[in-house]
Amino acid sequence: MKNCKFGVFGYPITHSLSPIMQTAAFDALGMSNCEYKAYAVEPGNLMEEVLKAQAENFCGLNLTIPLKEKIIETGLIIPDDFSKKAGAVNTLHFKGGKDGEIYGYNTDAKGAAKALEYAGCDTFGKKILIIGAGGASKSISLYFGEAGNSLKIINRTAEKAQRLAEEIAEKTGNVNVFGGGFESGWDDLKEADVIIQTTELGMGKYEDVSVFDQLSLGKDETNNKTKDEMKDELIRECLENKTVFDIVYNPEETKFLREAKAAANVRALNGMMMLVFQGALSFEIWTGKKPDANVMKEAVLEALRSKSRHESE
Ligand code: ATR
């Protein structure tokens, strides 16, 4: 029997790649006494299931949608400073075993920062544009707000981005955090050095939509350009030589990344290494060991590709 248990709680949880990724990390370090599995946990049962895991001697857990915020409400855990401010926890550590305290962390945003670094993007002092104002945007904005970056958050619903920007400015003391809608989207793209896309555009039912489709193209002065030509021209004008990061990893390339790469010379990255690094950071919290991010990446890539092979068969 495995004597060091780990897992991910979420609802639904069937698509989680964490078991494959974390198991690859354990195997690569020869930690064959560790197991990592996915568990479907409804929000209403979260407290009970976390306590049950603790009683069963689990070492650590990841939490995913819709449990990251919920766990704080239960009052069961001690969140660290960042996850408390973010209002979301994705990593639990049963540090003191069965009867000890349960500590909470948020490795999502640091995972995003490490993914940018891995891609060769130095974010120090850079102007960052964050598209979207949901949960993912919140922890990423908080992270870069704390790092002192100048931030603009834009969202379909402008008020939500404005509220988030105010919250980040207040929590971090960073006065260069602004929020708004999509009206001045092209100017915002032009102003930024690094662009981070955090909405669900490009995946699932929005597979054929990119944020560029939602920005106004203005008027065609010459009247002889197609909409696509106008869009490409604006993308080139606003994104040339910049870093464009879409946190979506399935599909591997969203329409947003595809359009950016086709029209301009950009450093483009998807969310796969963010997934890998948030998992690697959780792994380190639990075990004190640094896992091999490349081994984890290969496991994720293989799983995604075999899934898409099966789907196309
Ligand atoms: P997550 O936790 O993954 O960030 P979320 O909290 O539900 O998810 O936030 C979803 C984000 O995607 C929001 O920024 C949302 O914009 P609104 O606040 O205007 O709803 C954005 N989003 C979702 N569907 C969208 C669409 N069709 N067009 C533009 N933005 C969309």
Side-chain angles (χ1 to χ4, degrees):
M1 204 180 81
K2 307 274 185 182
N3 55 11
C4 219
K5 293 201 277 186
F6 299 88
V8 56
F9 285 4
Y11 199 81
I13 195 67
T14 38
H15 297 300
S16 175
L17 293 166
S18 293
I20 285 172
M21 180 172 83
Q22 298 288 5
T23 302
F26 284 124
D27 289 349
L29 284 168
M31 298 168 76
S32 54
N33 61 329
C34 297
E35 71 168 24
Y36 186 109
K37 290 184 179 168
Y39 302 87
V41 172
E42 288 185 42
N45 299 335
L46 179 60
M47 188 151 165
E48 188 188 326
E49 293 297 326
V50 169
L51 288 171
K52 206 166 113 198
Q54 185 175 34
E56 287 175 15
N57 237 335
F58 269 64
C59 304
L61 287 172
N62 282 128
L63 300 178
T64 185
I65 294 162
L67 309 174
K68 295 184 194 189
E69 287 91 11
K70 190 87 194 164
I71 190 68
I72 299 188
E73 291 164 28
T74 66
L76 198 61
I77 63 152
I78 304 173
D80 75 342
D81 188 49
F82 183 85
S83 59
K84 201 166 157 183
K85 279 191 202 152
V89 162
N90 78 331
T91 305
L92 297 184
H93 187 198
F94 299 100
K95 208 172 171 180
K98 274 189 183 180
D99 307 306
E101 314 273 23
I102 309 170
Y103 292 90
Y105 305 87
N106 183 319
T107 65
D108 288 327
K110 199 161 180 206
K114 286 187 76 115
L116 282 162
E117 191 187 311
Y118 181 87
C121 172
D122 178 6
T123 53
F124 183 78
K126 297 281 162 61
K127 284 188 184 165
I128 301 182
L129 176 68
I130 297 175
I131 303 165
S137 165
K138 184 171 176 178
S139 60
I140 294 174
S141 304
L142 180 66
Y143 183 90
F144 287 110
E146 279 194 339
N149 288 87
S150 153
L151 297 185
K152 176 90 191 256
I153 305 166
I154 59 169
N155 193 45
R156 173 180 61 177
T157 315
E159 306 79 64
K160 229 167 116 185
Q162 279 152 358
R163 271 203 307 277
L164 179 59
E166 279 164 24
E167 186 186 335
I168 302 293
E170 194 186 314
K171 284 181 171 161
T172 63
N174 183 336
V175 294
N176 293 310
V177 183
F178 304 97
F182 283 166
E183 327 74 58
S184 58
W186 293 111
D187 291 333
D188 293 322
L189 286 163
K190 203 168 180 173
E191 275 278 299
D193 303 308
V194 176
I195 294 120
I196 309 179
Q197 197 305 110
T198 72
T199 75
E200 49 207 286
L201 293 180
M203 64 191 292
K205 63 180 177 199
Y206 297 122
E207 185 142 7
D208 295 326
V209 191
S210 81
V211 72
F212 301 127
D213 297 326
Q214 300 197 344
L215 305 182
S216 154
L217 296 174
K219 286 214 164 54
D220 175 11
E221 306 292 338
T222 59
N223 272 328
N224 56 16
K225 280 187 205 136
T226 65
K227 283 206 160 116
D228 280 344
E229 283 167 344
M230 286 168 72
K231 186 163 73 171
D232 282 353
E233 212 163 84
L234 282 161
I235 294 174
R236 194 168 318 117
E237 193 186 319
C238 302
L239 297 191
E240 188 67 11
N241 294 328
K242 296 187 177 173
T243 296
V244 185
F245 176 20
D246 194 324
I247 71 163
V248 171
Y249 57 84
N250 191 16
E252 265 181 72
E253 192 166 79
T254 56
K255 188 178 180 208
F256 172 70
L257 286 186
R258 216 167 37 246
E259 289 180 333
K261 279 164 74 176
N265 174 33
V266 292
R267 176 193 283 121
L269 61 146
N270 70 5
M272 199 182 60
M273 289 315 289
M274 173 179 168
L275 171 75
V276 166
F277 283 119
Q278 63 76 33
L281 290 160
S282 299
F283 188 106
E284 253 185 278
I285 289 170
W286 299 323
T287 66
K289 293 189 169 70
K290 230 184 171 66
D292 186 338
N294 285 317
V295 164
M296 298 169 85
K297 173 187 159 187
E298 288 308 317
V300 169
L301 260 181
E302 170 56 28
L304 283 174
R305 291 187 177 158
S306 85
K307 191 170 160 277
S308 76
R309 268 198 305 275
H310 281 117
E311 280 167 3
S312 64
E313 271 165 17

